[in-house]
Amino acid sequence: YEQIISLSIQRNKVYPAEAKAQGVQGQAVIRIRINRQGNIIYSRIEKPTRHAILNEAIAEMVRLSNPVPAVPANYPAGNLFEFLIPVSFRLE
């Protein structure tokens, strides 16, 4: 399920054109908390990149991803679930 959440969020990743043009790259880790319905009720860039433009793109990516797929019925009990999700911006 964690991989499903990560893929759901990564689908909304947009590499800012300005960052690409400047050759800016970076890696970050975001922390999200979701409820059983898949609503992101908390998000934070736990380990930001060194570039504000990429960090802003990450915040927008999370915003656009809300809600994520609901928690499966057979997932462990609880009402809130927390995930750490790596995000990478790399020029190929």
Side-chain angles (χ1 to χ4, degrees), residues 46-89:
E46 193 74 14
K47 180 182 171 247
T49 71
R50 296 182 326 211
H51 307 283
I53 192 167
L54 295 182
N55 294 332
E56 290 166 14
I58 291 167
E60 180 68 1
M61 177 179 74
V62 172
R63 188 186 70 74
L64 291 172
S65 300
N66 198 7
V68 296
V71 176
N74 64 345
Y75 210 67
N79 293 323
L80 293 178
F81 302 88
E82 187 169 280
F83 301 97
L84 292 172
I85 299 170
V87 179
S88 182
F89 287 93

Side-chain angles (χ1 to χ4, degrees), residues 8-79:
S8 176
I9 291 173
Q10 299 282 351
R11 269 200 317 262
N12 290 302
K13 180 169 73 173
V14 175
Y15 206 136
E18 183 182 339
K20 277 186 178 179
Q22 296 174 6
V24 172
Q25 302 183 92
Q27 293 185 358
V29 175
I30 56 176
R31 178 183 301 272
I32 64 167
R33 288 188 196 121
I34 65 170
N35 62 19
R36 286 203 87 85
Q37 292 74 39
N39 296 304
I40 298 173
I41 57 167
Y42 172 85
S43 67
R44 178 173 185 254
I45 301 176
E46 193 74 14
K47 180 182 171 247
T49 71
R50 296 182 326 211
H51 307 283
I53 192 167
L54 295 182
N55 294 332
E56 290 166 14
I58 291 167
E60 180 68 1
M61 177 179 74
V62 172
R63 188 186 70 74
L64 291 172
S65 300
N66 198 7
V68 296
V71 176
N74 64 345
Y75 210 67
N79 293 323

